[in-house]
Amino acid sequence: MKIIKTFFFLSLLFLLSKCSDNKVSNGLTQFENFDSISDFAPELWVEGNTFKGSFSDDYNTFYFFFFFAPEIEKFIPYKSCFVNGKWEEPKAMAYFNDENSYTYQIKVPKKNRLIFISNKKTKKDTTQNPNYNFWEIELSRNKYSKPKELGYESLIYNYNSQPCITKDGTLFFTSDLPDWSETFSYKMELKDEKYLEPELFEPVNNWRNIKDWTVYEFCMSPDEDYIIVSIQEKNKDGTSVDLYISYFNYGKWTFPKKLGNEINSNETENFPTITNDGKYLVFTRAFSELKIIPTKQIGKK
């Protein structure tokens, strides 16, 4: 792919305008009558460099990120527009600054806000090498606002990653201690247009205590009634990371159940995201391919 061969050396023009609207279809329309797993946006696949993304409200824009180049710990935020039945060549986001790294862009549902994670230095950070924290911008047709930090302070020295967002704007995410000794899951609620301090999300944290499991990232459904979580079984040779599902029933989260072989393979399945309308699960395989499946096919109750 041309964009990788050139290692993204900032030769891309920033995309300042809104993606073209398509009155007939959007980036998900072709999957409406599918009842099995399908490839999603192969135009955007890059071997070993394909990660989690999120959609605009009209599903005609896909926000994601790439490695700057192999062996370089820097990520660049991109977006692609769905035009004439295909996803266009990615363009770097206008707020990108080559002094920093940017990951995990998330569009806030029904609002002109985009949240992302970056190693930009927050006001209260006293370190020389900042870790990854939450930032946000306001979206408009002609320009983006200056990035501003979300305001929480309790986790600014952690490595924060893998966010997902619900219909009411609540963020769920993963946070690693600065020395990578422990991993925790959190939720961060939106109140009066501001995010509150993160709170531990114990269901996923409790699953991390299962000795035969390594629990990675998770994705909360838009209505907060089920979770897709990435888990690796440690007691089996050659076991890859697979996707599991847990339901919120009678005030409790059920024990995670491994999804079927139509989803899980011998490769790594991770980076799950559920579209804001709740209709589709999108995830990556082997960090190289994007897959999509209707949520009605994964046992979602």
Side-chain angles (χ1 to χ4, degrees), residues 5-201:
K5 291 180 179 179
T6 59
F7 296 134
F8 317 113
F9 279 125
L10 307 182
S11 59
L12 293 173
L13 295 174
F14 289 145
L15 186 65
L16 297 178
S17 61
K18 182 181 179 182
C19 293
S20 301
D21 291 330
N22 190 319
K23 301 301 182 182
V24 177
S25 64
N26 59 41
L28 298 181
T29 302
Q30 62 180 303
F31 304 106
E32 287 182 350
N33 297 318
F34 284 34
D35 59 4
S36 61
I37 191 169
S38 308
D39 291 340
F40 175 74
E43 306 95 321
L44 306 180
W45 296 2
V46 179
E47 186 175 357
N49 196 6
T50 301
F51 306 105
K52 188 172 186 174
S54 71
F55 295 92
S56 60
D57 292 334
D58 62 6
Y59 302 107
N60 280 326
T61 307
F62 190 59
Y63 301 97
F64 58 105
F65 62 100
F66 281 136
F67 267 120
F68 177 76
E71 309 301 326
I72 297 179
E73 184 62 28
K74 179 180 283 191
F75 298 94
I76 299 179
Y78 286 91
K79 74 175 180 180
S80 174
C81 299
F82 189 75
V83 179
N84 296 325
K86 68 177 182 179
W87 293 97
E88 292 191 325
E89 187 79 3
K91 307 295 182 183
M93 297 292 287
Y95 67 82
F96 168 65
N97 182 319
D98 63 5
E99 295 180 356
N100 299 110
S101 183
Y102 301 79
T103 63
Y104 300 109
Q105 302 183 92
I106 285 193
K107 169 69 173 58
V108 180
K110 309 302 180 183
K111 297 183 183 295
N112 293 325
R113 298 169 69 180
L114 186 75
I115 292 172
F116 61 90
I117 294 178
S118 175
N119 63 353
K120 292 170 61 69
K121 191 167 187 175
T122 61
K123 294 178 181 179
K124 297 294 181 71
D125 193 340
T126 60
T127 63
Q128 292 185 351
N129 297 302
N131 224 326
Y132 285 75
N133 288 284
F134 285 94
W135 295 74
E136 64 179 349
I137 59 171
E138 292 289 330
L139 297 170
S140 69
R141 178 175 292 275
N142 297 316
K143 63 181 180 179
Y144 299 133
S145 67
K146 183 179 179 180
K148 62 179 182 179
E149 57 187 276
L150 258 60
Y152 73 91
E153 300 178 10
S154 58
L155 302 178
I156 62 173
Y157 299 115
N158 285 17
Y159 181 87
N160 300 293
S161 65
Q162 294 287 350
C164 63
I165 195 164
T166 63
K167 284 183 177 178
D168 65 4
T170 300
L171 285 170
F172 291 82
F173 62 98
T174 301
S175 187
D176 293 276
L177 296 182
D179 63 359
W180 298 91
S181 61
E182 289 188 84
T183 301
F184 297 95
S185 296
Y186 286 88
K187 67 181 293 185
M188 192 158 52
E189 295 184 347
L190 182 65
K191 184 177 182 180
D192 298 328
E193 299 301 314
K194 293 184 179 180
Y195 277 97
L196 307 179
E197 281 290 313
E199 300 177 359
L200 287 167
F201 185 59

